[in-house]
Amino acid sequence: MKGIVFTEFLDMVEDKFGLEMVDKIIINTNLKSEGVYTSIGTYSFSEMLQLLQHLSKYTDISIDNLLLIYGEHFFSVIENSYPGLLATYKDPIEMLSSIENHIHVEVLKIYPDAELPTFLVEEKSEISLIMVYKSSRAMHHFGLGLMNKTFEHFNTTATIQLEKIKEDGTEVRFTVIKN
């Protein structure tokens, strides 16, 4: 997993829960990296899982809800770091439907060894989108947070339903209806 995911996660923890919480989850987690990350490095997903589990334990917030909060935080990173990418879209449905064939292509140019989830569009109209998320990491709530902020970025709202195709969350169907 790319280091930017870790560095931004720890920034989010500091912003939302304080520097003491960052120290607490790092100290109480058996991390091969010892909690030292660079944005361009590559680290084991198990470290992210451990950080999430400890943060969940200390905050009484579920891992899914922490991933949702983190996805919403991470959208601001995209807004600030890649405004040109967002500017190519005039509509949130267009943007979300292009994750696989455009956005992930651009991410791979920056981080060639990134392991990205797959988003398969099943159905699309001007006001709705049905797509399937597939990833062994089961971070679908991170994706949900990004989707929420996508609609906010375009000054609109949507109802987004999440249906687990596989109980472990490695395959999830998102049904998005623009309000």
Side-chain angles (χ1 to χ4, degrees):
M1 184 172 254
K2 296 313 295 177
I4 191 170
V5 179
F6 289 87
T7 58
E8 288 301 330
F9 177 75
L10 294 176
D11 284 352
M12 187 249 351
V13 173
E14 183 179 352
D15 289 348
K16 304 275 187 211
F17 306 103
L19 189 55
E20 298 80 16
M21 183 63 75
V22 173
D23 289 342
K24 190 173 183 178
I25 64 173
I26 289 174
I27 290 167
N28 293 299
T29 307
N30 183 22
L31 302 171
K32 185 179 177 185
S33 70
E34 298 180 358
V36 178
Y37 304 104
T38 64
S39 62
I40 59 170
T42 302
Y43 307 92
S44 170
F45 173 65
S46 68
E47 290 198 18
M48 178 58 70
L49 196 52
Q50 289 178 66
L51 291 167
L52 280 162
Q53 288 167 339
H54 280 86
L55 184 59
S56 177
K57 175 182 162 184
Y58 297 131
T59 61
D60 282 328
I61 300 171
S62 72
I63 289 175
D64 280 348
N65 282 335
L66 288 171
L67 284 169
L68 177 73
I69 293 165
Y70 180 40
E72 291 177 347
H73 166 85
F74 202 84
F75 190 86
S76 66
V77 174
I78 297 167
E79 272 183 317
N80 295 330
S81 301
Y82 309 103
L85 180 66
L86 296 179
T88 62
Y89 298 99
K90 302 296 177 225
D91 175 80
I93 297 284
E94 257 330 291
M95 184 172 157
L96 293 176
S97 67
S98 73
I99 291 171
E100 193 64 32
N101 297 321
H102 181 239
I103 295 171
H104 281 176
V105 170
E106 295 301 316
V107 170
L108 288 171
K109 287 178 185 175
I110 300 164
Y111 302 104
D113 57 343
E115 296 174 34
L116 302 171
T118 301
F119 286 90
L120 304 172
V121 175
E122 290 187 327
E123 198 175 301
K124 179 186 163 206
S125 75
E126 285 186 22
I127 61 161
S128 67
L129 178 66
I130 300 173
M131 61 184 175
V132 174
Y133 160 96
K134 294 181 182 183
S135 173
S136 61
R137 296 185 176 131
M139 290 178 61
H140 48 277
H141 273 77
F142 178 80
L144 180 60
L146 288 169
M147 288 180 202
N148 287 341
K149 286 296 186 176
T150 298
F151 280 90
E152 190 177 299
H153 174 78
F154 287 100
N155 297 314
T156 187
T157 59
T159 302
I160 304 173
Q161 293 180 330
L162 185 147
E163 169 199 353
K164 287 185 180 178
I165 297 169
K166 291 189 177 175
E167 195 54 42
D168 65 358
T170 58
E171 199 168 319
V172 172
R173 178 173 289 109
F174 287 100
T175 302
V176 181
I177 301 171
K178 197 172 168 182
N179 297 332

